[in-house]
Amino acid sequence: MWNNSPHYYPHQGPPGPYIHRQSTMSDQMSVSSGTTGVMSQGSHPQSYNVQQATPHAYNTTTTYFYPSSHVHNPPSHPLAQNHPYVSSPPIATGPPPSLTSILLTSAPQQFAQATEHPFLRLAGQGSLPKHTLSRWLSQDRLYAQSYIGFIGSLIARVDLPYVNVTEKSTSLRWRIVNCLTGALQNIHTELKFFADTAAKYGLELDAPTRADGMFTAEQATKQYIDLFRAFWTDPSMSLLEGMVVLWATETVYLSAWNYARSFGEKPLAALDVGGDAKETTKSEGVMSELEGSEVNTLHNDSDGAAATDKSTALDDAEPTTTSTDRMESPPTTHASDLDGGALRDAFIPNWTSAAFEAFVAEIAELTDLLAEREDAVNRKLDVYLAVWKHILDVERRFWPDVGAGAETGS
């Protein structure tokens, strides 16, 4: 979520106690001074469901790095048995994959279920009635409120250095604090955005969730709230676990709303623009050409030529395109949507913006740097895989169930 972020751990079967594992290696470079591991036995109703034979049996092989290990250690070529001059294929070299890249590719089916829900498809088509959107938005507001304490608990876990750091951009600890401080500011902005948009489009922020007309947190929302509260109350939950939770929720949220956005996008040729822009189509989950330029410039600032080329291309395009024309479009572009345009005119643009994408990328970078310092992939990958799958499961159930009737507004 942007400014509002987002939601969390693989929940299979009935709730069970957390598995607690003390760290076996003291990492003096670690940003967190707390112990690593998950919650102590019986301290919280949820479970990571980590399949581990013994709590201290950390994996130290490359199995987690390369699931298809036979690709990197192929069997000898049949001819090599009789002809020694036939060499074996070279073994792949290079740095191991980062923690977040491993997680992203670890559960593709669950990721698709969490980010390509029918609710999102209808949202992108303008086919969600106001009562359905209000129900989801009310739950998301509860999530956002609990997010405040979660972020505060992560800030409290950062052990800032005693020495004076004049250039804080060079200190991982200070970078994490700055990122989390920004997240805390964003969530306040997000809650105001909820209130303003709800008032403008006639939505509710405490839409009834029970048959008796009462408003309360639904099951998936409660799981998010409980997870966030666990970081408030249990010091054994590490900073890295919290960063993985934060990255997972924001990554899923960004991907989900990009999926929704893809259903409402039209080829630029349909607009009155000139030049090569007519041949450009906004594909699924991709920023507009202007937003994409901002992102590419941001991520290529270390490459002066790349940044200059992007700026030049943008300047050249301004006389004939897009930006001004779009901004001058009538504000009621999607007024005929079942929600009056709340999603496609306000929420979706906010949650697929270049600023939000940069925010999610920053969280991923900091999470990977912290994981590298703590050797997390070798030591505790099973825990973080469980965290990721739990988030995907809860997020899938966080989207309201929508039937065929939702498409017609019934």
Side-chain angles (χ1 to χ4, degrees):
M1 304 184 168
W2 182 226
N3 298 338
N4 147 349
S5 9
H7 329 343
Y8 320 91
Y9 289 29
H11 190 74
Q12 301 170 354
Y18 280 102
I19 297 174
H20 177 69
R21 281 171 294 178
Q22 294 292 337
S23 172
T24 60
M25 182 177 73
S26 176
D27 184 356
Q28 295 180 354
M29 296 184 67
S30 172
V31 176
S32 173
S33 60
T35 59
T36 57
V38 287
M39 297 196 60
S40 57
Q41 183 74 13
S43 61
H44 196 274
Q46 289 188 340
S47 170
Y48 288 105
N49 293 322
V50 178
Q51 302 300 319
Q52 183 77 9
T54 60
H56 297 285
Y58 300 122
N59 190 301
T60 59
T61 68
T62 58
T63 303
Y64 290 136
F65 286 99
Y66 308 108
S68 300
S69 57
H70 62 277
V71 173
H72 302 277
N73 298 282
S76 301
H77 193 283
L79 295 178
Q81 298 175 9
N82 299 318
H83 302 278
Y85 58 83
V86 178
S87 61
S88 300
I91 298 176
T93 60
S98 66
L99 175 60
T100 60
S101 66
I102 292 173
L103 298 181
L104 272 174
T105 58
S106 66
Q109 182 176 358
Q110 293 95 317
F111 183 78
Q113 291 172 343
T115 60
E116 300 178 8
H117 194 276
F119 174 90
L120 296 164
R121 174 173 54 83
L122 296 183
Q125 294 171 339
S127 301
L128 278 179
K130 288 186 178 182
H131 66 83
T132 303
L133 177 57
S134 292
R135 176 185 169 187
W136 172 82
L137 192 62
S138 298
Q139 297 299 309
D140 208 37
R141 177 182 61 82
L142 294 180
Y143 165 88
Q145 291 177 182
S146 63
Y147 180 90
I148 295 174
F150 168 60
I151 295 298
S153 71
L154 296 189
I155 293 176
R157 281 170 165 77
V158 182
D159 187 14
L160 291 173
Y162 285 169
V163 298
N164 180 44
V165 179
T166 56
E167 183 51 66
K168 293 180 172 54
S169 64
T170 64
S171 167
L172 177 58
R173 304 181 201 186
W174 274 110
R175 287 184 64 192
I176 292 175
V177 167
N178 290 338
C179 177
L180 295 174
T181 301
L184 196 56
Q185 294 170 340
N186 289 338
I187 203 64
H188 284 285
T189 302
E190 183 82 354
L191 287 168
K192 185 178 185 301
F193 174 60
F194 278 16
D196 293 345
T197 307
K200 178 178 179 180
Y201 292 95
L203 304 172
E204 297 180 74
L205 291 177
D206 53 2
T209 54
R210 300 191 333 190
D212 60 5
M214 295 293 293
F215 170 66
T216 187
E218 297 185 3
Q219 182 182 8
T221 309
K222 288 178 180 177
Q223 285 188 272
Y224 273 138
I225 294 174
D226 287 345
L227 174 60
F228 289 164
R229 283 179 177 169
F231 282 91
W232 310 348
T233 59
D234 193 330
S236 72
M237 298 186 74
S238 70
L239 175 63
L240 181 54
E241 282 180 78
M243 291 298 292
V244 170
V245 168
L246 178 62
W247 165 80
T249 57
E250 301 289 10
T251 296
V252 170
Y253 205 69
L254 174 62
S255 181
W257 287 111
N258 272 326
Y259 174 76
R261 176 177 176 170
S262 69
F263 289 96
E265 293 173 342
K266 297 179 180 179
L268 293 181
L271 303 174
D272 185 16
V273 297
D276 295 337
K278 290 186 178 181
E279 299 177 2
T280 304
T281 301
K282 292 158 66 179
S283 59
E284 266 192 37
V286 178
M287 303 294 164
S288 69
E289 75 284 3
L290 290 181
E291 291 170 334
S293 297
E294 293 176 9
V295 173
N296 288 330
T297 301
L298 175 66
H299 291 293
N300 287 307
D301 55 3
S302 61
D303 184 345
T308 302
D309 292 343
K310 286 292 181 183
S311 300
T312 303
L314 184 57
D315 291 339
D316 292 342
E318 284 179 353
T320 57
T321 166
T322 69
S323 158
T324 303
D325 293 340
R326 287 180 191 165
M327 292 176 65
E328 293 176 354
S329 298
T332 56
T333 303
H334 301 105
S336 60
D337 288 358
L338 295 184
D339 64 358
L343 280 162
R344 296 205 282 178
D345 290 338
F347 289 125
I348 292 178
N350 182 67
W351 295 325
T352 59
S353 66
F356 185 31
E357 183 181 72
F359 173 66
V360 175
E362 181 184 19
I363 297 172
E365 180 185 358
L366 296 176
T367 300
D368 286 333
L369 288 173
L370 182 57
E372 183 180 350
R373 284 192 175 187
E374 298 189 1
D375 195 22
V377 172
N378 276 328
R379 296 173 57 216
K380 295 185 63 180
L381 182 59
D382 57 339
V383 172
Y384 302 115
L385 286 169
V387 170
W388 172 242
K389 291 178 182 178
H390 182 71
I391 298 303
L392 296 179
D393 178 68
V394 178
E395 189 65 21
R396 173 182 58 82
R397 292 181 289 104
F398 195 84
W399 305 114
D401 185 28
V402 291
E407 298 189 45
T408 60
S410 62

